[in-house]
Amino acid sequence: MNMKINNILLLCFFLLLLWTSCEDSGDKYYLLGLEESDLIVTTDKVVLTQDNSSDIVLSLAWTKGTLSVSNNKVSAPDVYDTSLEISSTKEFSSLVEVRGESLSIAFTGKELNAIAKELGVIPDVATPIYFRLKGSIGNNIPAVYSVIKEVSLVSYEIDMSRGLILDKEMNDTGLFLFSENEDGIYRGFMGATAWANFYMQEGNGTTWGNDGVDGDAFLLSSEDDPEKRWNLWFPSVGGSYYVTVDTQKKLWSALNLPEINIAGDLSAQMEFDRSSNSWSYSFTADEAKEITVSLSGVGKLFDYSTGDQDENLAISTPFGFQKEDNELIFAEEPSNFTLAIPEVGEWTLILDLSNPLELTCSLVAGTIEPEVVNSEVYLPGIDDLLIGGWKFESKLSLFNEDDLSYAGVVNVDSEFGYGIYLEKDNWDDFYKLDSGDQLDGKLLKGAEDNIPAPAKGTYFINVSLKSLKYSVLALTEKVYVSGLNDSWDFNTTLEKTQNDGIYSGVISITKPSEYGFQIHIDDSWNNYFGGVEGKLYYTGDNLKEDQTLDLGEYILTVDFISESYEITAITK
């Protein structure tokens, strides 16, 4: 607003100056440049689908109108302003105005579809959409417009009932929350580890994360700027959550369900399986019959008022499940419902929360054993020139069970490449190369070709057996300590020692940090280790020894290969 006022004042001053000069000289000067700008459109037909929603589907470019004076000895100020107007009528009776920062603008399918919805365009019907460029130099001076360009547009239905859950890299996870009234309030159940990250994307393409300007947990932002919009994160407690994302109030909350109790003809506590987002209880039936049960518990509500750090501050919230018109719903208290056991034997009661459109509670024959996820994988061949053959010594540790992701630092000196093996001394279950090179690629279970190894050295390796990807990063001469004394930067470093994978240096504790600190192997903010009681964990909880140690200087030594660290006081 201040810029626009300044432009108008500058123009008025310039016109006054011209008028005064003209009066003195008797000459007439004319302000030129308000003629139409050329507008170019890349196509006159666009068909939008979910498949091309992320692609550039339409681009427009134009020439810049400039002000000049009829006397070339006098220059005019640059206060010419342009914007693009879009309408579903030639008269532009209703329109959407878009400002481009340069002399062109490009629309993705998602962006153009959102504009079509705002204009009231009927989905799946070819509809003429009109574009024109508006040029102006002030509110009190009539604007000029370019020639109108017409584009035939077929839009698609925007489903505002689903909020898609994206991972921290903004990839679709296949999960979603549900907005029953399509009013921007989304709800559903999620299984999460402590501090798990995610974003939520609405059907119109708006992506919600945490407010990065304020920085407090549970505040929402849709700013398309990584400095202003961070990822959302769960609190310090992992497990089953009932999540509410309210885009109207720009707040979200997470109700942790620490346990679900069965009452009635069965009396037990159910077990939660995060990978399937379900609860279960197995039992033996001694006769065929109908049973009456209820499901309830007391949750811990985390929201903006409680913060994300201390579960003791979470709000105690009773909950239950009710049956209404044969539909299972989440409520403040439980109701009884019946289930039929058709025959004697082993049965499992399963509460499936994975689909927010259809919660189910059912009996399944047999006992369901939880899927075992290996805590480590092994890399035979990665170090065969160091240890004399393919052995199960170098390994990676599990850090994300949902994605089956493993990471760690290993010494590399390989003759023929390596494989990723699921169990120690088990040569039958492994992943090798599908495609890629020494630094990144795709995996294939049971493949014949070894994964190519990089040159001799110390490397950080990250693999996902769910997305079937691997990446390799060479360690440098130093690593970084960030968060000490509440300074989140890369100014404190640890230097590489004579022993591969071990770094050491002096750290100074001048005050207890609020959140603890991390060890970063590079300055990308993505590759860091947390730790507790001398054990390092990739992307784990922050180290917090500085909150209890005396102020002063210490030697911090980290051994990435053994996944350990040590803090020693400097005696003077």
Side-chain angles (χ1 to χ4, degrees), residues 17 57 152 163-164 187 210 227 238 243 254 265 268 311 324 348 381 410 413 424 441 448 487 493 499:
L17 184 63
V57 295
S152 174
L164 304 182
R187 298 181 175 91
N210 201 85
E227 297 296 326
V243 175
D265 292 332
E311 63 179 300
E324 288 186 2
T348 299
V410 297
D413 194 2
K424 189 171 186 177
E448 294 183 1
S487 295
T493 60
N499 298 313

Side-chain angles (χ1 to χ4, degrees), residues 415-441:
E415 185 174 6
F416 302 111
Y418 61 100
I420 299 171
Y421 289 75
L422 301 185
E423 291 181 295
K424 189 171 186 177
D425 300 326
N426 178 357
W427 294 100
D428 296 326
D429 296 323
F430 61 86
Y431 291 80
K432 289 188 179 180
L433 183 69
D434 182 12
S435 62
D437 54 27
Q438 292 92 340
L439 298 183
D440 62 75

Side-chain angles (χ1 to χ4, degrees), residues 64-79:
K64 181 180 181 181
T66 56
L67 295 177
S68 62
V69 180
S70 56
N71 188 326
N72 58 16
K73 295 181 179 180
V74 181
S75 60
D78 185 11
V79 293

Side-chain angles (χ1 to χ4, degrees), residues 459-518:
Y459 294 85
F460 170 76
I461 299 180
N462 188 335
V463 305
S464 171
L465 300 185
K466 185 174 182 179
S467 60
L468 298 177
K469 295 179 180 179
Y470 69 90
S471 63
V472 179
L473 176 68
L475 267 64
T476 62
E477 296 298 313
K478 61 184 177 182
V479 296
Y480 307 90
V481 181
S482 188
L484 273 176
N485 310 312
D486 290 329
S487 295
W488 290 94
D489 53 37
F490 296 113
N491 295 330
T492 301
T493 60
L494 307 179
E495 302 298 322
K496 181 180 178 181
T497 68
Q498 294 180 345
N499 298 313
D500 293 332
I502 299 179
Y503 292 75
S504 187
V506 176
I507 61 172
S508 179
I509 301 176
T510 59
K511 69 174 184 177
S513 64
E514 184 175 0
Y515 302 109
F517 61 99
Q518 302 167 341

Side-chain angles (χ1 to χ4, degrees), residues 18-293:
L18 277 180
W19 179 79
T20 304
S21 300
C22 292
E23 287 294 311
D24 291 341
S25 63
D27 295 332
K28 292 184 178 180
Y29 291 79
Y30 299 95
L31 191 63
L32 308 174
L34 293 181
E35 65 275 4
E36 300 169 348
S37 297
D38 293 330
L39 180 62
I40 302 169
V41 183
T42 54
T43 182
D44 60 358
K45 292 182 181 179
V46 177
V47 178
L48 301 177
T49 66
Q50 289 283 1
D51 292 336
N52 66 8
S53 62
S54 298
D55 300 335
I56 299 296
V57 295
L58 181 67
S59 299
L60 300 97
W62 55 88
T63 56
K64 181 180 181 181
T66 56
L67 295 177
S68 62
V69 180
S70 56
N71 188 326
N72 58 16
K73 295 181 179 180
V74 181
S75 60
D78 185 11
V79 293
Y80 193 70
D81 184 47
T82 57
S83 61
L84 184 68
E85 294 185 343
I86 310 170
S87 179
S88 57
T89 65
K90 285 185 177 180
E91 296 76 22
F92 285 79
S93 54
S94 63
L95 58 87
V96 173
E97 187 172 9
V98 180
R99 294 187 178 275
E101 295 183 358
S102 59
L103 298 180
S104 65
I105 190 168
F107 295 98
T108 64
K110 190 182 304 179
E111 293 168 338
L112 198 56
N113 202 62
I115 291 173
K117 180 178 176 65
E118 188 173 347
L119 293 174
V121 173
I122 299 174
D124 302 317
V125 177
T127 304
I129 300 296
Y130 303 95
F131 298 82
R132 71 182 182 186
L133 197 67
K134 174 184 176 182
S136 65
I137 58 173
N139 293 334
N140 298 323
I141 299 176
V144 294
Y145 298 92
S146 70
V147 173
I148 296 173
K149 299 292 185 177
E150 179 180 331
V151 175
S152 174
L153 178 69
V154 178
S155 63
Y156 59 87
E157 183 73 38
I158 294 180
D159 184 3
M160 295 297 288
S161 69
R162 297 191 180 205
L164 304 182
I165 301 301
L166 312 181
D167 65 18
K168 64 180 181 180
E169 306 297 335
M170 292 196 176
N171 299 312
D172 190 358
T173 65
L175 306 175
F176 67 95
L177 304 178
F178 180 59
S179 177
E180 183 176 5
N181 299 317
E182 298 192 24
D183 56 1
I185 303 175
Y186 301 84
R187 298 181 175 91
F189 293 89
M190 295 177 64
T193 57
W195 309 117
N197 302 149
F198 70 101
Y199 293 90
M200 192 202 76
Q201 185 177 80
E202 295 185 277
N204 62 3
T206 303
T207 300
W208 293 92
N210 201 85
D211 187 342
V213 177
D214 185 284
D216 288 336
F218 300 107
L219 292 180
L220 293 174
S221 171
S222 60
E223 293 277 357
D224 191 15
D225 182 341
E227 297 296 326
K228 297 180 180 179
R229 181 188 62 193
W230 302 342
N231 53 244
L232 301 169
W233 65 87
F234 280 95
S236 58
V237 182
S240 178
Y241 279 93
Y242 181 70
V243 175
T244 300
V245 177
D246 189 338
T247 64
Q248 295 181 16
K249 296 180 179 179
K250 295 187 177 181
L251 294 170
W252 76 286
S253 63
L255 175 62
N256 176 242
L257 314 183
E259 59 184 41
I260 293 180
N261 299 306
I262 310 173
D265 292 332
L266 295 176
S267 180
Q269 191 174 100
M270 305 185 81
E271 293 186 3
F272 180 63
D273 178 46
R274 190 174 67 251
S275 62
S276 62
N277 198 7
S278 65
W279 293 77
S280 64
Y281 170 67
S282 296
F283 64 97
T284 302
D286 54 8
E287 61 177 320
K289 61 179 181 180
E290 282 193 345
I291 59 173
T292 300
V293 297

